[in-house]
Amino acid sequence: MNRRLILQGVGSSLLLSFWPWRGVQAKNQKLLGYIRTNWSRDPYTYGSYSYIAKGARRSDIRALDRAIDNQVFFAGEAVFPKYNSTVHAAYQSGLRAANSILQGSSNRIAIIGAGMSGLASAQKLSQNDREVTVFEARDRIGGRVWTDNRLGMPLDLGASWIHGINGNPLVDLAEELDQQLIQTEEDYVIRGRDGRKIRERDAPRWLENVVSIQHTAGANKDRINQWAYLFLNDYDGPDVKFADGYAGIFEALKGNYKIKLKTVVKEIQRTQKVVTLGFEKIDNQSFDAVLVTVSLGVLKRGDIKFDPPLPENKQQAIDRLGMGTVDKVYLLFEEQFWDLSASWIATPENDLPPGQFNQWFNLYRYIEKPIITAFNGGLPALALSTLSDEDIVQRALQTICTAYSI
């Protein structure tokens, strides 16, 4: 199996659900709590990260990256020309956009989105004496980097790893803050019904597509332009997690700029002299330039109106590129009962449709807490997004308990 680690409220209509678990329990193991993500239904992302879909090319990313009349700029993991779908792509895209803005004379600059790209840009621009205001729809910064502590320890609900540490600028930021990074391994075990170990050669053929494609790109193999990834030159080296959560990295991006939370931008109107933002609840505001760092999913949904409309090649790029989904379900048990030493656990025999709850990450190995994380990606994740929390947790329990004869 070609193992790769993944790139990156209550009810299924919201992104996040958290409750102490009071439902049906496994016979011999007590579930204390859970966290469920639901990124495809998050109204500020509509997915986890981008991919190059069939019919799209890497040139579409370059079209999306291109500024409009030196007034409207774009940044984000979907916009960086060299590689995408990672936090370091978002970071480098933000710096790239800031450098482009600095080549002009714009002084008052608005940034839409307080994720990695937006904050990296804001810091760079403010360091160069630009007046910067960041508008963020959520009640927090970070975007798809989100660390949650409600199960008693920091758990990353979106991005979880720095992928490839050799030369990766995120490692420099983490070291600047003295953040502890934990190297994770690729080793895995495949468990069938009643806890038996399945040899790799005996695993169902569809399992590799699930763990290597759906959980990496957030989409099915038949939806991806695989040729566009043939000559990808990204950072190498091991992957690492943040011991205290990914969101701590934003301490390194503080600066002399303003952040307006819970402020939804609905329209970007451009004239020869200014760019005016229309908001959901406050009066319009005008700036010399605007940097758009919202997710590709938001651009695809058309939640922000552009007046005049986006250039045809940019809109076509948005339409052709894909937005993938990878969701997690964290389960906190009273004690650990799964494989102690394996980083990854595959569970193909759970009597569920292929792609549902077939891969788990063993957090116990790294933090010595009885937490295990299920991953679902692509079409299976979208199918699960409509289910209730109770249904989701029951499927997770059914799978992990079947694999260990609980």
Side-chain angles (χ1 to χ4, degrees), residues 108 152 180 195 227 230 237 267 313 331 338 364 376 391:
R108 296 187 66 247
Q180 181 186 357
W227 291 100
L230 279 182
E267 184 176 7
N313 68 332
L331 300 181
W338 49 89
Y364 186 88
N376 296 295
D391 285 340

Side-chain angles (χ1 to χ4, degrees), residues 36-344:
R36 169 202 185 180
T37 69
N38 205 353
W39 286 102
S40 66
R41 298 204 163 208
D42 184 321
Y44 305 128
T45 62
Y46 299 111
S48 302
Y49 41 72
S50 66
Y51 66 93
I52 303 176
K54 280 191 174 178
R57 298 180 179 181
R58 199 157 287 278
S59 59
D60 287 318
I61 297 175
R62 292 192 291 271
L64 187 55
D65 174 59
R66 200 167 296 126
I68 303 174
D69 295 338
N70 287 321
Q71 289 181 302
V72 180
F73 297 79
F74 293 81
E77 56 82 13
V79 179
F80 194 59
K82 291 184 178 180
Y83 35 76
N84 48 289
S85 309
T86 60
V87 181
H88 58 259
Y91 175 72
Q92 291 178 266
S93 175
L95 295 181
R96 175 186 172 94
N99 286 330
S100 295
I101 295 171
L102 289 172
Q103 291 177 10
S105 59
S106 296
N107 182 59
R108 296 187 66 247
I109 300 157
I111 297 177
I112 306 174
M116 178 57 76
S117 289
L119 297 183
S121 299
Q123 183 186 62
K124 179 76 173 181
L125 291 167
S126 63
Q127 288 172 342
N128 285 271
D129 299 322
R130 300 307 197 265
E131 182 182 338
V132 180
T133 304
V134 182
F135 296 98
E136 169 56 49
R138 303 180 192 275
D139 60 359
R140 61 172 179 84
I141 65 170
R144 285 165 280 170
V145 175
W146 185 0
T147 302
D148 188 282
N149 289 279
R150 282 180 285 177
L151 286 184
M153 63 220 66
L155 300 173
D156 287 312
L157 309 183
S160 298
W161 279 270
I162 296 179
H163 294 285
I165 64 172
N166 295 339
N168 195 312
L170 298 184
V171 175
D172 296 334
L173 294 182
E175 290 178 347
E176 176 185 326
L177 298 170
D178 292 324
Q179 291 182 310
Q180 181 186 357
L181 300 177
I182 302 172
Q183 181 175 327
T184 59
E185 305 298 334
E186 294 275 355
D187 58 292
Y188 63 91
V189 63
I190 307 174
R191 290 288 178 185
R193 289 184 185 85
D194 303 321
R196 81 184 194 285
K197 186 178 292 187
I198 299 176
R199 295 176 298 182
E200 183 175 325
R201 67 186 184 187
D202 296 327
R205 297 182 64 182
W206 52 261
L207 184 59
E208 182 171 355
N209 177 62
V210 170
V211 301
S212 299
I213 305 297
Q214 290 179 358
H215 295 178
T216 300
N220 285 16
K221 185 176 180 179
D222 59 1
R223 296 194 173 195
I224 299 169
N225 177 4
Q226 297 181 62
W227 291 100
Y229 293 92
L230 279 182
F231 304 106
L232 192 64
N233 186 24
D234 208 337
Y235 298 111
D236 59 10
D239 295 345
V240 295
K241 290 176 66 68
F242 289 81
D244 297 318
Y246 218 131
I249 201 168
F250 294 119
E251 287 293 316
L253 299 179
K254 289 184 175 181
N256 186 26
Y257 53 84
K258 300 176 183 178
I259 299 180
K260 304 290 187 181
L261 299 176
K262 295 189 288 187
T263 307
V264 179
V265 177
K266 302 298 291 184
E267 184 176 7
I268 300 174
Q269 187 177 49
R270 177 168 47 92
T271 66
Q272 287 186 342
K273 294 184 177 181
V274 297
V275 183
T276 301
L277 300 185
F279 300 92
E280 189 173 66
K281 295 182 179 179
I282 63 175
D283 293 338
N284 294 356
Q285 297 183 36
S286 296
F287 298 87
D288 300 325
V290 171
L291 173 59
V292 180
T293 74
V294 300
S295 76
L296 176 66
V298 170
L299 293 175
K300 292 177 77 68
R301 288 284 292 238
D303 285 358
I304 297 177
K305 177 184 176 182
F306 291 86
D307 181 19
L310 292 173
E312 184 177 3
N313 68 332
K314 191 178 290 288
Q315 185 61 58
Q316 289 175 345
I318 291 169
D319 295 340
R320 284 193 289 253
L321 292 167
M323 189 68 181
T325 296
V326 175
D327 278 319
K328 304 174 187 176
V329 180
Y330 286 99
L331 300 181
L332 170 64
F333 287 92
E334 196 167 51
E335 59 184 18
Q336 173 267 339
F337 59 86
W338 49 89
D339 286 87
L340 183 63
S341 60
S343 295
W344 294 89

Side-chain angles (χ1 to χ4, degrees), residues 193 347-353 356-358 395 398-399 402:
R193 289 184 185 85
T347 52
E349 296 181 352
N350 61 359
D351 299 320
L352 295 173
Q356 294 189 12
F357 295 96
N358 297 137
R395 291 183 185 219
Q398 170 187 322
T399 299
T402 297

